[in-house]
């Protein structure tokens, strides 16, 4: 959820570079980590009869999981096509989203797939400045959804937002502090992006460069200048977009992130009855759960996502074994599925783009 600026983590020049950056070897690493953690959780928790609720599974909610996933992906495809002013076809938008998801699964959570997304959009014929602008806008909209949603969730959930039943008070205090600091950072970053994109991008670029002139940040000054320059370019690209453009962009962002959060709700409801209040609390705790995953250094948060899940959601499920089963389904639906889909789309995208003569380095 917390989208960082585009990070210069690696260099991409040709479409075939993605095949090495997102190679099977890199994909296997998060798979092995995630499955090992889940297997260990099952090993230590399993007791005969723990999986009895599977026999009473509510298939309506399982169908709802697939529906929510499909709606989420369609929302992402629609949004990127809309943001690019339909410069991308539906087929191109599908390729961009699937490979973007693959990159997000293979890279650490704090990095995500923004660099890859910019490169892919550029190779689809969108000029580099515009592709940077569109990716920056997605980050800004994602962060704004979080900024607006958090106060509403806190107002409704109150102290039930935190897993008091699972961890000691000292950890809850630390979690509250971490959550609060994260929110303030996102709020500041979102405000800076809004001001930079729509009011005075040159002033924001100057501010960023001055901030990175501090002695212990000076090594990153060139990167800071590039970040500021990208904001100036993005502002020029987006200037003049009407209210209809932004209304659809905001609406599709709210749609995809709400659908993304509801996956856990539908999976839990399939095996453990949830009241309306229970659904709301699960949705609310998902906000903190996703923030915690930002500290994960493993690709796609593998291992961290599985290990942290029981802390936030065991209260709504029951036995440890059922919790482990649901987290396994959750990772299949939101992680392993996109590793498979991305691995299918990536080589076909490379073949299509190279076949059009796009092997030359990007500008």
């Amino acid at each position: 959820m917390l989208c960082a600026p585009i990070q210069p983590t690696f260099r991409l020049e040709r479409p075939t570079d993605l095949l090495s950056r997102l190679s099977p070897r890199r994909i296997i690493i998060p798979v092995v980590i995630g499955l090992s953690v889940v297997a260990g959780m099952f090993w230590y928790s399993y007791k005969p009869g723990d999986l009895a609720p599977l026999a009473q599974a509510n298939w309506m909610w399982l169908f709802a999981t697939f529906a929510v996933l499909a709606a989420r992906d369609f929302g992402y495809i629609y949004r990127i096509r809309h943001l690019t002013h339909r410069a991308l076809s539906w087929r191109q938008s599908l390729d961009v989203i699937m490979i973007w998801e693959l990159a997000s699964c293979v890279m650490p959570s704090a990095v995500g797939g923004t660099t890859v997304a910019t490169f892919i959009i550029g190779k689809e014929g969108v000029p580099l400045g515009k592709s940077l602008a569109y990716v920056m806008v997605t980050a800004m909209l994602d962060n704004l959804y979080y900024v607006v949603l958090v106060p509403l969730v806190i107002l409704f959930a109150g102290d039930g937002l935190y897993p008091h039943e699972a961890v000691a008070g000292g950890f809850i205090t630390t979690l509250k502090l971490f959550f609060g600091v994260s929110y303030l950072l996102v709020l500041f970053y979102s405000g800076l992006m809004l001001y930079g994109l729509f009011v005075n991008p040159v002033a924001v670029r100057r501010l960023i460069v001055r901030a990175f002139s501090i002695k212990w940040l000076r090594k990153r000054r060139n990167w800071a200048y590039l970040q500021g320059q990208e904001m100036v370019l993005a502002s020029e690209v987006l200037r003049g977009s009407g209210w209809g453009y932004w209304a659809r962009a905001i609406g599709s962002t709210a749609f995809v992130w709400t659908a993304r959060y509801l996956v856990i709700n539908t999976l839990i409801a399939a095996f453990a009855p949830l009241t309306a209040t229970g659904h709301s609390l699960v949705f609310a705790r998902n906000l903190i759960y996703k923030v915690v995953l930002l500290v994960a250094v493993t690709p796609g948060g593998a291992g961290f996502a599985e290990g942290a899940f029981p802390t936030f959601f065991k209260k709504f499920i029951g036995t440890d074994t059922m919790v482990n089963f649901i987290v396994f389904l959750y990772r299949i639906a939101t992680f392993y599925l996109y590793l498979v889909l991305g691995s299918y789309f990536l080589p076909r995208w490379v073949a299509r783009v190279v076949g059009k003569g796009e092997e030359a380095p990007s500008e």
Side-chain angles (χ1 to χ4, degrees):
M1 165 55 64
L2 311 183
C3 299
I6 298 171
Q7 301 291 329
T9 52
F10 52 82
R11 183 177 177 82
L12 294 171
E13 293 185 348
R14 297 173 298 275
T16 49
D17 290 342
L18 277 180
L19 293 175
S20 59
R21 291 294 179 180
L22 304 177
S23 63
R25 180 177 60 84
R26 292 177 181 268
I27 293 173
I28 288 173
I29 293 174
V31 171
V32 171
I33 294 174
L35 291 180
S36 298
V37 171
V38 170
M41 292 165 66
F42 269 111
W43 176 265
Y44 286 106
S45 70
Y46 179 74
K47 296 177 183 177
D50 279 354
L51 295 177
L54 295 181
Q56 288 82 41
N58 188 324
W59 290 97
M60 182 191 75
W61 282 110
L62 288 176
F63 176 78
T65 300
F66 289 106
V68 166
L69 287 171
R72 187 197 79 158
D73 288 341
F74 176 77
Y76 274 130
I77 293 166
Y78 171 84
R79 183 175 72 159
I80 196 64
R81 186 168 186 262
H82 171 71
L83 287 176
T84 59
H85 297 92
R86 299 189 179 182
L88 299 179
S89 67
W90 289 106
R91 163 67 188 279
Q92 290 172 315
S93 300
L94 174 63
D95 287 345
V96 168
I97 294 303
M98 289 298 110
I99 300 171
W100 192 342
E101 289 287 345
L102 173 64
S104 298
C105 291
V106 174
M107 298 175 185
S109 298
V111 176
T114 52
T115 303
V116 170
T118 304
F119 177 76
I120 298 170
I121 295 172
K123 285 301 178 183
E124 291 290 3
V126 178
L128 179 61
K130 288 187 175 182
S131 62
L132 283 168
Y134 299 140
V135 173
M136 289 185 73
V137 168
T138 62
M140 180 193 71
L141 292 172
D142 292 344
N143 285 329
L144 285 176
Y145 175 82
Y146 177 81
V147 166
V148 172
L149 187 64
V150 164
L152 298 176
V153 163
I154 292 177
L155 183 64
F156 171 82
D159 215 34
L161 185 64
Y162 304 96
H164 292 276
E165 73 284 348
V167 292
F171 180 83
I172 294 295
T173 301
T174 302
L175 186 60
K176 288 182 178 179
L177 178 62
F178 178 70
F179 185 51
V181 171
S182 298
Y183 180 79
L184 291 176
L185 289 175
V186 176
L187 180 63
F188 172 77
Y189 175 60
S190 300
L192 190 66
M193 286 192 72
L194 279 173
Y195 183 79
L197 288 174
F198 302 108
V199 182
N200 194 336
V202 175
V204 173
R205 181 183 63 187
R206 190 180 301 119
L207 174 65
I208 294 174
V209 172
R210 286 181 177 175
F212 277 79
S213 297
I214 301 174
K215 183 176 180 180
W216 54 280
L217 292 176
R218 198 169 295 161
K219 291 182 179 180
R220 303 279 284 176
R221 189 176 181 181
N222 288 339
W223 170 83
Y225 176 81
L226 290 175
Q227 292 290 128
Q229 187 60 24
E230 287 167 5
M231 185 167 292
V232 173
L233 291 172
S235 178
E236 294 174 357
V237 169
L238 298 169
R239 191 173 296 136
S241 297
W243 284 106
Y245 175 86
W246 290 111
R248 291 187 180 186
I250 293 170
S252 57
T253 298
F255 178 83
V256 297
W257 277 102
T258 301
R260 188 167 186 144
Y261 281 154
L262 285 175
V263 173
I264 292 181
N265 286 73
T266 57
L267 283 175
I268 292 178
F271 302 100
L274 283 178
T275 63
T277 300
H279 273 290
S280 300
L281 288 176
V282 169
F283 187 90
R285 287 194 178 186
N286 212 336
L287 285 174
I288 300 185
Y289 175 59
K290 292 299 191 301
V291 170
V292 169
L293 296 187
L294 285 178
V295 303
V297 295
T298 55
F304 285 81
E306 293 84 354
F309 188 93
T311 300
F312 294 94
F313 303 110
K314 182 180 183 300
K315 170 184 177 179
F316 308 97
I317 300 171
T319 66
D320 290 333
T321 305
M322 279 303 302
V323 173
N324 299 337
F325 179 77
I326 290 176
V327 72
F328 181 54
L329 289 183
Y330 171 67
R331 293 296 277 174
I332 288 175
T334 61
F335 185 70
Y336 300 118
L337 173 63
Y338 292 98
L339 289 177
V340 173
L341 291 175
S343 299
Y344 172 83
F345 279 93
L346 176 58
R348 286 159 180 78
W349 175 82
V350 171
R352 177 171 63 82
V353 173
V354 172
K356 293 193 305 182
E358 292 293 329
E359 185 64 35
S362 59
E363 54 182 313

